[in-house]
Amino acid sequence: MRAAGQAPPRVLTVAGSDSGGGAGIQADLKTMLALGVHGMSVITAVTAQNSLGVQGAWELPVEAVRAQYRSVVDDIGVQAVKTGMLASAELVEAVAELISGTDAPVVVDPVGVSKHGDPLLAASALDSVRTRLLPAATVATPNLDEVAQLTGSRVASEADLRPAAEAVLAYGPQWVLIKGGHLTGEAVDLLTDGDQEFWLRAPRHDNRDTHGTGCTLASAVASGLAKGLPVPEAVTAAKEYVTGAIARGFALGAGIGPVDHGWRLR
């Protein structure tokens, strides 16, 4: 419990804006509020986005991203940083430089495509993600499409999760969480640092309204790290939170609705 007037742990998200409110900066801040930390933001891109997909995306200048980051970190400080949509090589490299100079754990969600299949990362930026961003990560949280995009490894079954994790770890993150949500059967993820392994399992909920799961999970991990939890405990708590949010995802618009970030509060 915090004393009255005492600031909660602070988490900074560096990501794109989702005008539909289901993913991106909006999902990150909702998750952080729900988990009891103070969320702050560096917006890297603005998207025109709804339940049907991404209709447009506009990247912010590197100077604007750098200024937002320095403004928050130099005055308020952070206990954890989470990165999401970084559309270009220039943005990836600038953000990698910023987080490498910040004394806080970093969760890297290497966003490549949206829930609807819309590309959110330029092909020219992939090498920068591999060589600059992933080495700065405390935890990297790729889904199966992002694993394939970054490493060429295709995951068709649970048995493929371990070699996929090894391929991502080769780029230098301290831990990797391979999200197996696109597989059939129960929702199984693998967390490993190359020595320790944690297999995280949850029932699969028959709910199509799952927009924002990746952003939500990464932000939940960052929230746990900001509270001082070790990586395995932070990831386990985040998995529990996002599983509940998926179970209570709701229809919105004519397409894929969002997960319910406030499910514990209702």
Side-chain angles (χ1 to χ4, degrees):
M1 296 292 291
R2 289 184 296 110
Q6 180 183 4
R10 289 145 288 165
V11 183
L12 178 62
T13 170
V14 184
S17 169
D18 173 4
S19 55
I25 288 282
Q26 287 81 356
D28 297 341
L29 295 177
K30 292 175 187 178
T31 298
M32 293 169 190
L33 179 64
L35 296 179
V37 301
H38 176 67
M40 304 170 293
S41 63
V42 171
I43 298 176
T44 62
V46 175
T47 68
Q49 188 172 167
N50 56 25
S51 69
L52 297 173
V54 179
Q55 292 79 46
W58 298 267
E59 180 183 324
L60 266 68
V62 168
E63 311 87 77
V65 171
R66 186 177 286 113
Q68 291 176 80
Y69 191 98
R70 291 264 60 94
S71 179
V72 171
V73 173
D74 293 348
D75 173 47
I76 301 172
V78 294
Q79 274 76 56
V81 179
K82 176 258 177 184
T83 72
M85 178 185 175
L86 304 174
S88 67
E90 292 78 14
L91 274 179
V92 170
E93 291 177 12
V95 170
E97 180 183 354
L98 288 165
I99 62 178
S100 294
T102 302
D103 185 19
V106 176
V107 179
V108 169
D109 184 16
V111 176
V113 295
S114 76
K115 180 69 69 179
H116 306 85
D118 303 292
L120 298 175
L121 179 71
S124 59
L126 281 172
D127 194 53
S128 296
V129 172
R130 297 182 189 107
T131 62
R132 299 293 303 278
L133 193 62
L134 288 176
T138 307
V139 187
T141 63
N143 63 28
L144 302 188
D145 290 336
E146 291 154 357
V147 167
Q149 191 178 36
L150 289 167
T151 71
S153 298
R154 300 285 175 178
V155 177
S157 68
E158 185 176 316
D160 297 326
L161 291 175
R162 184 177 287 117
E166 292 170 353
V168 178
L169 281 171
Y171 290 115
Q174 295 176 33
W175 291 82
V176 63
L177 175 66
I178 304 293
K179 300 177 295 190
H182 293 168
L183 298 175
T184 58
E186 65 180 347
V188 58
D189 306 329
L190 172 60
L191 172 69
T192 179
D193 64 354
D195 294 319
Q196 306 171 77
E197 283 188 356
F198 301 87
W199 293 84
L200 308 174
R201 302 177 185 276
R204 184 175 297 277
H205 296 286
D206 184 19
N207 186 353
R208 72 188 292 268
D209 297 312
T210 57
H211 185 48
T213 48
C215 306
T216 299
L217 180 63
S219 293
V221 174
S223 297
L225 295 177
K227 295 175 182 178
L229 295 178
V231 169
E233 291 181 28
V235 172
T236 299
K239 171 84 168 179
E240 180 185 352
Y241 169 73
V242 79
T243 299
I246 290 170
R248 293 161 181 81
F250 50 89
L252 206 64
I256 300 173
V259 300
D260 185 358
H261 297 96
W263 66 273
R264 284 179 172 164
L265 309 175
R266 303 193 197 287

